[in-house]
Amino acid sequence: MNKYAKVVVSNNSNHTDELYTYKIPEFLIDEIKKGHRVLVPFGRGNKPIEAFVFEITSFEEINFKLKEIIDVIDEKPILKERDIEIIKWMREEYMCTFMDAINCMYPKGVRVDNYKVVKLVKEEFDDLEEREKHVLQELINNKRKIKLEYLKNKIGKGIESIVKKLKNRGLVDICWEYKSIKNEKYIYNISLNISNEEVDEIVKVLIKKRAFKQADVMNFLKNNPNIQLRDLMNLLNVSKQSIKSLQEKKLINIEKLNYYRKPKINYIVKNKKINLNEEQLNVLSKLKKTIYKENKKPFLLYGVTGSGKTEIYLNIIEEALKNDMDSIVLVPEISLTPQTIARFKNKFGDIIAVFHSKLSSGEKYDEYRRIKEGHAKIVIGARSALFAPFSNLGVIIIDEFHENSYKSEMNPKYNSIEVAKQIAKLENCILILGSATPPIEEYYKCKTGEYELLELKNRANNKEMPFIEVVDMKEELDNGNKSIFSKKLFEAIKENLESNNQIILFLNRRGYASFISCRKCGYIFKCLNCEISLTYHKIKNVGKCHYCGYEVVIPKECPECKSNYVKEFGIGTEKIEEEVKRYFKYAKVLRMDKDTTSKKGSHEEILNKFKNKEADILIGTQMIGKGLDFENVTLVGILSADMILNFPDFRSSERTFQIINQVAGRAGRAHLNGRVILQTYDTEHYAIKHALNYDYEGFYEDEIKIRNAFNYTPFNNLISVVVYGKNEKKVVDNTQKLYDSIIYILRKRGYEKYDFILGPNPCPISKINLNYRWQILLKDIDIEIKLLKSIIKYICIQKRELIFNKDINISIDINPFNTL
DNA sequence: AGCACGCCGACT
DNA sequence: GTCGGCGTGCTC
């Protein structure tokens, strides 16, 4: 019976994003399985390309002749059944191609090497031009076959037409060939299959048959019981054939070992027992109970800062290991969590694989292999670690799962939480989403019963959360204090410095000032490539664009009106540093933001310095808020909560609440009492009021009402379609066309109200890197999200050429984290 | 996308 | 005539 494979071809194109059917040749029928990588001839020229088998069928569906699969690439399938399910799901969910999703699962880089060759068919020199003869002669000299590329180098331009002419006369043939990259690296270990005593006898027989090489090998093996094939071939200068025939005579064993196979390690779990408190034990026992339960719900682990979530993670992973199950731990940004990683490594040692985005593709592949071969049982890393190829997944943990790094910014623009849920469902494994400030839409799912809520309400050391004092900056201004420090914060810094305690100052913006302008004519320094004002960096006296990296020296004179009234406005971490140094001359200050941590390892360096008390004050942006323990910090100053609050995004309240919570949690973690001072112009805002009391539940209740009233998530989905390109007019026209097409389809389907479509509008950042950006936002109000997606897919992907210009790009994001 | 093929102007 | 440049259309 004929068998057919439906495959996805490895081609970065929207036009080939479908399943292609190939006939499986006789010799591969038993070999090819779902998930295998294969080589198929594709296109008119039958170029051999890599493809992934998604289905195998045995009936003929199509009546035109099918091409045959050339070969399988790997010994074992690359994709598991559930990987294929996830790929299909991601393609639907995020409107990406099969290949976009496959690229998440399988490290790219090692791909098929293909090239065109010219083959000699007939030797006939009559009526040929000089250069044609030359080509023919080359072919005769080179075993009648030459790479086209090689000929191009030898002959130069015009080779294509020469070869074509030769082809038309039937003298040569042009076709594609490939060098198959078999990815598996093997070691062949050779040993005797007979006893040493028998060897001499055998050697005599071999010599009689004039098989001298084989005799050499046998003699060698008598003295060296174990050797690798490669070494044996080099040392004795024997061919593979000689060794093979020895194997056929059953005189030797050839053992195929995987290159990565190390001596099997028995992993040691260090039993430095930390006594869990009652709350933790309770949570843990609930988790353990579900390990073998069918149809698990995802767990939302709501644990206040310092409640010992990590300890729960370590324990449940240990439990999984006992049951021979693997675990995945996602952390927001690997470089920000050295302490967490250290704790995992301490406990589990060698069986941990670490995934960062900064691994080279080779390193990534090595880690991939380690996992695939079962040498790593735990992977810890950023969102890409989610796709680790474990065979028996038991637990997925997403730590600090409110962090927006879990949403991919690149195609496919997936949300790790959603993908994790999908994987957990298919693998029937435990999914733990841990946070001190869960996203509103996720916490909502506890209320609806989609998640099971686990709570850690107390800090492990039983310390109260530090008291947050709020300072109204409007009042400060009325009292004539124009500085960036309120009187209260100023006094507190002074006190803490005197008593030799450490201080953290938090501000959500790097640089010195948020913009630079001329006070006379109002000129504002802007990026040349982006529609964004430049941030002033005083140390280098430059204006920097935080979107494209553009930098320009700021002149004293206004380029517009030539006056001397150029001045910077707003505050950034650089300015805080300057002010602190001005007021507190003897304080030692460290600054941690994107500017001071660009070098590798500079992160840890700053943190270590601060931990070792080499500085009194740490000034920083968001990155100081991530799971760091500093015992001697007794004061945290949040300089301007408004900066986040006034951000033009529906999540800004939530972000504010989260950041205050995170940053405040840095104070007083050990024996000392902490104090937090929060400066804001908006003391009455509900996010700030609830944050002061660490009242997540209260904040949730207020926020969910707003989400409901304005049709935001979790009540509605949002789709953002951004149209961008270098030509502003084309961008505007194309966005309008997109809008018109959506309306046209909706009207045909009987819709009359279109108020769920916002736009077309320019994006809040209307130009980035010379690309003008326009946007249409759609919500699934009174319309099915599926329908909405299918309409957008139809217009933006399937009929793309009909509607959009060639130099126009489209970016579709389902439930984006921001709509800039 | 990326490749093959074909149509058309340019040039020995 | 034929070279090669680009436009067009298809990929099991």
Side-chain angles (χ1 to χ4, degrees):
Chain A
M1 188 169 48
N2 287 333
K3 284 209 168 191
Y4 301 88
K6 294 193 172 180
V7 304
V8 172
V9 292
S10 180
N11 202 348
N12 279 340
S13 163
N14 286 328
H15 302 98
T16 52
D17 182 46
E18 53 189 302
L19 295 174
Y20 289 88
T21 313
Y22 283 84
K23 189 170 181 296
I24 302 178
E26 205 66 40
F27 77 104
L28 288 174
I29 279 187
D30 295 326
E31 197 128 339
I32 290 182
K33 301 270 164 348
K34 232 170 147 176
H36 253 125
R37 251 181 352 140
V38 293
L39 207 58
V40 295
F42 195 69
R44 278 209 260 194
N46 286 327
K47 182 182 178 177
I49 59 169
E50 177 195 52
F52 296 82
V53 177
F54 268 44
E55 268 172 56
I56 292 177
T57 54
S58 47
F59 45 90
E60 245 161 309
E61 300 174 354
I62 310 149
N63 38 19
F64 60 83
K65 59 185 186 310
L66 294 172
K67 294 182 185 175
E68 281 194 3
I69 289 177
I70 301 169
D71 205 351
V72 316
I73 299 180
D74 317 277
E75 194 182 36
K76 286 182 195 156
I78 287 294
L79 303 171
K80 294 199 292 171
E81 188 84 39
R82 69 106 160 142
D83 294 333
I84 293 174
E85 289 305 307
I86 295 289
I87 289 162
K88 286 183 187 163
W89 177 84
M90 281 176 81
R91 178 167 173 268
E92 284 303 310
E93 190 67 23
Y94 303 113
M95 295 195 223
C96 65
T97 62
F98 281 121
M99 280 315 297
D100 284 334
I102 289 172
N103 286 335
C104 296
M105 304 266 176
Y106 181 69
K108 47 187 164 190
V110 210
R111 293 279 146 112
V112 174
D113 177 19
N114 47 24
Y115 43 84
K116 268 182 171 173
V117 292
V118 183
K119 282 183 186 164
L120 186 60
V121 178
K122 198 161 67 178
E123 271 180 60
E124 194 184 274
F125 284 83
D126 302 344
D127 293 337
L128 285 187
E129 281 175 30
E130 212 37 55
R131 302 214 302 168
E132 293 165 5
K133 278 183 187 166
H134 187 177
V135 170
L136 228 52
Q137 194 54 52
E138 281 285 337
L139 280 163
I140 293 164
N141 296 345
N142 288 282
K143 297 179 187 168
R144 307 169 70 87
K145 191 168 94 181
I146 301 181
K147 277 192 195 182
L148 186 62
E149 200 61 24
Y150 173 85
L151 275 179
K152 209 181 265 175
N153 287 335
K154 195 103 182 177
I155 312 279
K157 257 201 162 183
I159 181 66
E160 258 118 25
S161 56
I162 294 172
V163 173
K164 203 186 268 174
K165 226 178 350 182
L166 289 172
K167 190 191 170 184
N168 288 341
R169 292 204 204 170
L171 302 182
V172 302
D173 201 10
I174 311 164
C175 59
W176 283 91
E177 286 200 352
Y178 60 94
K179 203 165 91 195
S180 136
I181 307 171
K182 297 268 180 183
N183 255 327
E184 268 81 13
K185 286 188 193 166
Y186 291 108
I187 294 170
Y188 295 89
N189 208 12
I190 313 230
S191 56
L192 283 176
N193 196 26
I194 52 175
S195 72
N196 270 4
E197 289 72 43
E198 294 168 278
V199 170
D200 289 345
E201 203 57 40
I202 296 287
V203 166
K204 273 182 202 161
V205 177
L206 287 170
I207 289 174
K208 223 178 222 168
K209 286 188 190 164
R210 299 184 54 79
F212 301 117
K213 288 287 180 194
Q214 294 182 38
D216 284 354
V217 171
M218 292 307 285
N219 271 326
F220 184 89
L221 285 172
K222 193 175 146 190
N223 302 317
N224 307 279
N226 268 300
I227 187 159
Q228 286 178 24
L229 175 69
R230 185 179 303 237
D231 296 339
L232 191 65
M233 282 165 65
N234 288 338
L235 275 167
L236 302 180
N237 196 21
V238 294
S239 69
K240 224 177 198 163
Q241 192 47 53
S242 313
I243 295 168
K244 251 195 181 151
S245 44
L246 282 172
Q247 187 193 19
E248 277 159 19
K249 289 173 199 151
K250 302 251 161 100
L251 296 174
I252 58 166
N253 287 321
I254 300 181
E255 196 186 354
K256 194 173 175 185
L257 288 180
N258 211 296
Y259 182 74
Y260 295 88
R261 187 165 302 169
K262 293 178 194 161
K264 195 168 163 68
I265 25 146
N266 280 322
Y267 35 85
I268 317 139
V269 174
K270 282 186 190 153
N271 270 330
K272 197 183 136 201
K273 263 284 171 225
I274 292 178
N275 287 327
L276 299 181
N277 62 30
E278 203 179 314
E279 226 181 5
Q280 288 173 312
L281 287 171
N282 194 12
V283 165
L284 195 60
S285 81
K286 271 190 194 166
L287 286 170
K288 281 183 181 175
K289 260 185 234 159
T290 58
I291 275 196
Y292 284 109
K293 219 175 98 184
E294 291 296 315
N295 300 323
K296 307 176 177 70
K297 279 184 194 177
F299 292 99
L300 192 154
L301 176 60
Y302 167 57
V304 298
T305 318
S307 59
K309 288 190 288 289
T310 310
E311 210 49 49
I312 300 281
Y313 303 155
L314 293 169
N315 274 283
I316 190 67
I317 290 171
E318 194 179 346
E319 183 70 14
L321 275 176
K322 279 184 201 158
N323 294 286
D324 202 32
M325 288 171 166
D326 310 307
S327 308
I328 293 173
V329 184
L330 298 194
V331 289
E333 244 177 281
I334 211 89
S335 60
L336 301 180
T337 45
Q339 289 177 352
T340 315
I341 291 169
R343 278 176 78 183
F344 277 86
K345 282 204 160 161
N346 260 332
K347 186 162 173 128
F348 300 112
D350 246 10
I351 54 165
I352 291 194
V354 179
F355 262 56
H356 6 188
S357 51
K358 272 159 201 148
L359 288 182
S360 72
S361 68
E363 287 170 315
K364 260 182 202 157
Y365 191 69
D366 285 353
E367 291 295 59
Y368 176 87
R369 290 302 302 256
R370 271 187 67 214
I371 296 165
K372 189 112 187 165
E373 305 299 332
H375 303 129
K377 305 285 286 175
I378 302 163
V379 64
I380 177 163
R383 54 170 188 268
S384 60
L386 196 51
F387 301 101
F390 283 124
S391 55
N392 187 20
L393 197 56
V395 183
I396 302 175
I397 291 161
I398 306 186
D399 189 28
E400 308 289 344
F401 80 106
H402 57 272
E403 287 292 331
N404 50 21
S405 66
Y406 289 124
K407 179 92 161 77
S408 170
E409 302 266 288
M410 292 193 302
N411 252 340
K413 296 189 170 136
Y414 66 92
N415 183 335
S416 307
I417 296 162
E418 291 167 8
V419 178
K421 253 189 268 180
Q422 217 60 31
I423 294 176
K425 200 162 82 187
L426 291 170
E427 294 265 351
N428 189 35
C429 71
I430 294 178
L431 172 62
I432 304 170
L433 307 169
S435 173
T437 50
I440 296 298
E441 63 266 30
E442 300 294 326
Y443 196 70
Y444 175 79
K445 288 171 188 159
C446 294
K447 308 273 174 184
T448 62
E450 193 183 331
Y451 293 167
E452 186 171 340
L453 180 65
L454 301 172
E455 285 181 290
L456 295 174
K457 289 185 168 171
N458 302 303
R459 301 181 102 180
N461 57 10
N462 268 323
K463 281 233 131 204
E464 288 284 298
M465 288 295 280
F467 182 64
I468 306 178
E469 300 158 62
V470 67
V471 178
D472 188 344
M473 292 305 274
K474 288 195 301 280
E475 268 174 39
E476 287 293 312
L477 209 59
D478 291 344
N479 294 337
N481 179 4
K482 284 187 203 163
S483 97
I484 51 180
F485 301 115
S486 61
K487 211 169 152 232
K488 200 175 213 166
L489 182 59
F490 187 87
E491 294 299 328
I493 295 174
K494 212 167 128 193
E495 265 171 44
N496 271 271
L497 284 175
E498 277 161 10
S499 54
N500 210 13
N501 286 322
Q502 286 184 301
I503 300 161
I504 289 178
L505 296 177
F506 169 82
L507 184 77
N508 198 26
R509 181 178 277 124
R510 67 194 167 102
Y512 186 86
S514 40
F515 66 101
I516 316 142
S517 79
C518 169
R519 280 180 295 169
K520 194 172 177 195
C521 70
Y523 176 85
I524 291 177
F525 285 78
K526 278 186 177 170
C527 176
L528 288 182
N529 311 320
C530 312
E531 185 54 40
I532 201 110
S533 57
L534 295 174
T535 306
Y536 186 53
H537 288 244
K538 196 175 185 180
I539 297 170
K540 290 166 85 178
N541 186 39
V542 293
K544 248 193 215 176
C545 171
H546 287 181
Y547 281 84
C548 73
Y550 171 78
E551 256 186 54
V552 66
V553 173
I554 300 300
K556 292 216 160 44
E557 201 176 68
C558 170
E560 199 71 10
C561 70
K562 308 291 175 210
S563 77
N564 280 327
Y565 297 107
V566 172
K567 200 178 180 306
E568 69 288 340
F569 294 89
I571 52 171
T573 45
E574 234 182 66
K575 181 156 188 173
I576 308 285
E577 187 180 8
E578 187 185 274
E579 294 283 289
V580 167
K581 281 177 176 164
R582 186 149 70 98
Y583 290 120
F584 309 101
K585 289 204 171 53
Y586 304 103
K588 278 171 280 172
V589 183
L590 280 172
R591 177 160 59 89
M592 186 160 110
D593 53 32
K594 211 175 153 195
D595 297 310
T596 61
T597 54
S598 55
K599 259 187 283 163
K600 221 182 176 180
S602 46
H603 243 287
E604 286 169 52
E605 197 186 313
I606 294 172
L607 294 176
N608 283 335
K609 270 190 186 166
F610 193 59
K611 198 160 187 145
N612 298 333
K613 290 204 85 174
E614 285 173 46
D616 308 299
I617 303 179
L618 176 67
I619 298 163
T621 54
Q622 257 102 301
M623 47 176 85
I624 61 166
K626 307 247 160 78
L628 308 163
D629 283 318
F630 300 111
E631 299 189 347
N632 294 303
V633 173
T634 50
L635 174 65
V636 168
I638 299 169
L639 287 153
S640 172
D642 310 285
M643 232 172 238
I644 321 155
L645 207 47
N646 296 330
F647 201 75
D649 189 278
F650 76 90
R651 276 184 235 263
S652 60
S653 304
E654 188 179 353
R655 295 284 304 142
T656 307
F657 183 86
Q658 282 170 349
I659 285 184
I660 294 173
N661 230 288
Q662 260 177 39
V663 178
R666 301 306 114 205
R669 295 205 85 176
H671 55 288
L672 300 161
N673 277 320
R675 190 175 168 196
V676 180
I677 294 173
L678 171 75
Q679 303 188 154
T680 175
Y681 287 93
D682 199 351
T683 52
E684 292 306 304
H685 195 282
Y686 68 98
I688 289 185
K689 283 197 139 175
H690 289 303
L692 296 182
N693 303 317
Y694 299 98
D695 180 11
Y696 177 79
E697 191 70 32
F699 173 70
Y700 169 82
E701 291 299 336
D702 281 353
E703 180 69 17
I704 199 81
K705 280 179 207 141
I706 292 174
R707 297 281 181 96
N708 198 355
F710 291 95
N711 302 310
Y712 288 125
T713 170
F715 301 98
N716 287 96
N717 291 290
L718 179 70
I719 303 177
S720 149
V721 185
V722 174
V723 178
Y724 62 98
K726 309 255 187 250
N727 181 323
E728 188 171 15
K729 192 178 172 303
K730 269 193 199 169
V731 171
V732 178
D733 289 350
N734 277 271
T735 319
Q736 188 61 45
K737 262 194 214 163
L738 165 62
Y739 180 82
D740 295 342
S741 310
I742 297 171
I743 297 292
Y744 176 80
I745 293 175
L746 286 171
R747 184 169 293 142
K748 269 207 335 204
R749 288 198 167 240
Y751 285 86
E752 278 159 20
K753 271 170 63 189
Y754 311 114
D755 48 359
F756 54 85
I757 308 174
L758 275 83
N761 286 317
C763 296
I765 301 175
S766 60
K767 191 171 93 178
I768 293 180
N769 250 329
L770 297 175
N771 280 307
Y772 293 89
R773 310 168 74 242
W774 278 62
Q775 173 180 64
I776 291 176
L777 294 171
L778 305 103
K779 285 186 191 172
D780 57 340
I781 304 168
D782 300 327
I783 183 167
E784 276 290 310
I785 181 79
K786 274 207 169 143
L787 174 61
L788 212 46
K789 267 196 207 166
S790 71
I791 292 171
I792 290 170
K793 187 166 188 171
Y794 181 74
I795 297 168
C796 297
I797 298 171
Q798 280 156 269
K799 297 286 163 197
R800 189 196 165 117
E801 275 78 13
L802 284 175
I803 295 156
F804 299 100
N805 289 91
K806 261 201 161 153
D807 48 351
I808 291 291
N809 297 297
I810 302 151
S811 165
I812 305 165
D813 200 332
I814 315 295
N815 291 319
F817 269 28
N818 67 60
T819 52
L820 300 178

